[in-house]
Amino acid sequence: MSNAIAQIVDAYVRLKNRRGLDELMMHRQRLAVDLKSRSGAYDFSLPIGKIDEEIAIIEQGLSRLKAESAETGTPRPV
């Protein structure tokens, strides 16, 4: 799954789609919060770990997008 997320993030960065990256990040953060709040017989540590990896990939994409916009002098959309 991380490879798929990396490809999606790369596409968003290439298209300079900050909004898409932000929405992807918010979705993964909501999933992480939801899974971390659950308790019971099932161990959620593996899916939580995968989601945390995906969040890190998205953060890297956001950093790349920010760096590219700083290099080109493009103002960051609000």
Side-chain angles (χ1 to χ4, degrees):
M1 181 64 114
S2 294
N3 189 31
I5 290 297
Q7 291 176 350
I8 292 167
V9 168
D10 285 342
Y12 281 147
V13 171
R14 224 178 16 258
L15 295 171
K16 299 181 183 357
N17 188 345
R18 168 79 189 218
R19 181 185 217 171
L21 285 172
D22 286 338
E23 290 174 1
L24 194 62
M25 175 68 85
M26 286 188 294
H27 179 257
R28 291 303 187 275
Q29 288 172 334
R30 282 192 302 265
L31 284 173
V33 167
D34 182 46
L35 288 175
K36 289 175 184 177
S37 69
R38 293 178 184 248
S39 61
Y42 186 75
D43 179 16
F44 290 100
S45 60
L46 183 60
I48 290 170
K50 292 292 184 185
I51 290 171
D52 287 342
E53 287 175 18
E54 292 176 0
I55 288 172
I57 292 168
I58 297 166
E59 287 173 342
Q60 291 171 354
L62 286 167
S63 295
R64 286 177 22 219
L65 190 61
K66 184 178 178 183
E68 287 179 13
S69 68
E71 288 174 4
T72 61
T74 307
R76 187 175 148 231
V78 178

